[in-house]
Amino acid sequence: MSGIKVTVARTAGSVPREVGTQMMVWADRTAGTIGGGALEWEAMAAARRMITQGRAAQVLTLPLGPALGQCCGGSVTLELAQADALEVPKGAPLWIYGAGHVGRALVDVMVPLPEWDITWVDTGADRFPQDAKAAVLVAADPARAAAHAPADAHHLILTYSHAIDLELCHAVLSRPFASCGLIGSATKWARFRGRLAALGHSPATIARIACPIGDTRLGKHPQAIAIGVAMAMLGRNAARQIEAAG
């Protein structure tokens, strides 16, 4: 069944989401969000009218004022267009290695964020929750799986094994990648730096791995680590968008 892709095409003033944000609308469900509230309800209603009427495209400009029961004061122009039923808005590829307590907490925090398209890797199917919310990849050798990640993928390494973590760091550093984070202490990272250097990686390349991940001020609880990681990644994303905008 085809659906309607809704894209924030232009904005003015104070608005809930930035240009390029997308959501999909079908007759019976949605995926993604353009900011919620009355704006999103209007977009959903317009998209479902298009499905009913068989319309292929439409442009809507909606002021975020009293007519929508909102007080943002800006306006949003939306482009609505038919899209394949399998086409769901995707974000940057994010590969998470490890389905332990921290991995599960991290996936729970990151999955709702449309910025990320998550692949979750571990060595056994029984290590994942039955209701896994991300694309699961079972790999007896996670380092070999990492070789299949897109060149623009972000990697977060937090498996149950230091040996697997080291192999993953080596695999990621041996190919193009966007960013890499490793769970661990200062002692673990000092040991890994020496071993990665012995494997032929330069200091500048090794320095691209962030360790420890998260915000140490938040503590070591899995959810606290996950929140710290999400904050850091969203902050870097925002900084890149500001830089790209000039």
Side-chain angles (χ1 to χ4, degrees):
M1 179 179 64
S2 64
I4 302 295
K5 180 166 63 176
V6 181
T7 303
V8 178
R10 291 186 298 279
T11 63
S14 177
V15 296
R17 296 299 302 274
E18 64 277 3
V19 171
T21 301
Q22 295 181 334
M23 69 180 295
M24 279 290 295
V25 180
W26 293 272
D28 58 347
R29 67 193 191 281
T30 65
T33 176
I34 57 168
L39 168 67
E40 192 160 297
W41 281 108
E42 285 287 329
M44 289 163 55
R48 286 175 174 148
R49 285 194 297 270
M50 288 175 62
I51 292 172
T52 300
Q53 298 166 3
R55 294 182 62 182
Q58 183 180 5
V59 176
L60 291 177
T61 297
L62 299 172
L64 305 182
L68 286 184
Q70 296 185 264
C71 56
C72 297
S75 68
V76 177
T77 297
L78 304 174
E79 293 179 353
L80 292 77
Q82 280 189 355
D84 186 80
L86 297 178
E87 184 179 350
V88 179
K90 296 291 186 181
L94 170 61
W95 285 47
I96 298 175
Y97 305 88
H101 294 303
V102 177
R104 293 183 182 212
L106 188 55
V107 169
D108 283 345
V109 169
M110 301 298 285
V111 158
L113 300 172
E115 287 87 349
W116 309 106
D117 180 16
I118 298 175
T119 299
W120 196 6
V121 185
D122 210 322
T123 55
D126 59 343
R127 294 190 56 78
F128 297 96
Q130 291 185 349
D131 60 343
K133 301 178 179 67
V136 165
L137 175 58
V138 178
D141 185 352
R144 290 184 64 185
H148 298 283
D152 62 342
H154 300 260
H155 301 263
L156 293 172
I157 300 170
L158 31 101
T159 79
Y160 58 86
S161 164
H162 283 202
I164 294 176
D165 284 356
L166 180 63
E167 291 171 357
L168 280 164
C169 288
H170 176 45
V172 171
L173 292 183
S174 299
R175 61 188 313 279
F177 67 99
S179 71
C180 183
L182 169 69
I183 194 168
S185 63
T187 301
K188 174 181 176 181
W189 182 225
R191 188 178 301 118
F192 272 37
R193 286 201 306 270
R195 292 178 178 176
L196 290 168
L199 288 167
H201 300 290
S202 70
T205 301
I206 295 169
R208 292 189 63 195
I209 296 179
C211 182
I213 54 173
D215 185 337
T216 56
R217 296 171 299 178
L218 301 179
K220 297 182 179 180
H221 191 282
Q223 275 72 26
I225 295 172
I227 290 168
V229 171
M231 289 171 59
M233 296 190 73
L234 288 171
R236 287 196 297 270
N237 236 21
R240 282 193 296 270
Q241 289 175 1
I242 292 171
E243 183 179 352

